[in-house]
Amino acid sequence: MKRTFFTALVMILFSSATFAQDFAEIDRSPMDRAYYPNNFAHDRKPSDKAIIRVTYSRPAKGGRAIFGQLVPFHKVWRTGANEATEVKFYQDIQLNGKPVKAGTYALFTIPDEQEWDIILSSDLDYWGAYSYNDKNDVIRVKAASKQLTTPVENFTIQFEKTGATQGVMKIAWDKTLVDVPFTY
């Protein structure tokens, strides 16, 4: 009886170890979130509620040429890696002067050397931009592209407060920075 119990226990332990080895590898482009106002800002009050949240994956430059090569100019880009980037507005805002209702949208961009198209789409929850359909666009706005002197290794989205009810969503990677102004 003891031998049977011991044998069964050993089999259970070994089968558990086998299941643990079936997990996928860690993603090379880890998921990140950016909030406005910034959750970690030193001047943030506990009563400050989020107005915008962006969920995205952060690919690395890794020595590659990014815009115009890895990310082609004049083509829709998922704005990050892996799943399409999502932006949630907790209240109505204006994105570069155009009204946007509170809700969750996919964030796509069309990079260009001088200016990007920033696209909010109602089509959510899919991989990349392969299924992108412009019929699902909620809005499109233009945003100027600037050259940075120091490259940004990992794709990044951050926010900056620019006034009492104004801010900028900053999209940066490699030597490119795009500022998308908003008001709330």
Side-chain angles (χ1 to χ4, degrees):
M1 179 75 169
K2 285 184 181 181
R3 184 173 284 173
T4 306
F5 176 74
F6 180 72
T7 303
L9 182 61
V10 168
M11 289 176 61
I12 289 171
L13 290 174
F14 280 119
S15 66
S16 296
T18 302
F19 290 131
Q21 295 172 4
D22 290 338
F23 285 104
E25 292 181 27
I26 293 175
D27 196 341
R28 289 187 192 186
S29 299
M31 193 169 276
D32 200 358
R33 281 200 168 143
Y35 284 90
Y36 182 84
N38 182 346
N39 283 350
F40 305 107
H42 67 278
D43 61 344
R44 181 161 187 215
K45 301 174 193 83
S47 60
D48 289 344
K49 291 189 174 195
I51 295 169
I52 305 170
R53 180 187 77 203
V54 179
T55 304
Y56 65 103
S57 290
R58 300 184 62 175
K61 177 175 168 41
R64 302 176 288 181
I66 303 301
F67 295 107
Q69 297 209 2
L70 179 67
V71 177
F73 288 130
H74 314 290
K75 291 192 178 188
V76 174
W77 180 45
R78 63 182 128 193
T79 316
N82 304 333
E83 295 84 5
T85 294
E86 286 188 4
V87 60
K88 180 175 184 175
F89 299 104
Y90 291 92
Q91 66 184 51
D92 295 352
I93 69 154
Q94 287 197 347
L95 193 64
N96 206 8
K98 290 191 177 182
V100 180
K101 294 283 185 192
T104 304
Y105 306 92
L107 173 65
F108 295 102
T109 52
I110 301 175
D112 186 84
E113 296 90 339
Q114 306 298 317
E115 165 177 86
W116 286 24
D117 287 343
I118 309 299
I119 304 164
L120 296 181
S121 172
S122 61
D123 201 6
L124 298 169
D125 300 320
Y126 58 86
W127 184 267
Y130 306 109
S131 301
Y132 170 77
N133 184 341
D134 64 358
K135 292 178 181 165
N136 297 317
D137 289 1
V138 175
I139 67 160
R140 278 187 183 219
V141 297
K142 300 280 188 185
S145 173
K146 303 172 192 170
Q147 290 297 303
L148 300 170
T149 54
T150 305
V152 174
E153 176 63 26
N154 290 85
F155 175 76
T156 302
I157 298 177
Q158 295 180 359
F159 291 98
E160 180 181 310
K161 187 174 181 106
T162 58
T165 59
Q166 298 150 346
V168 174
M169 178 173 61
K170 295 179 165 294
I171 301 170
W173 196 19
D174 194 9
K175 289 191 172 186
T176 300
L177 171 67
V178 177
D179 287 341
V180 185
F182 60 88
T183 58
Y184 53 98

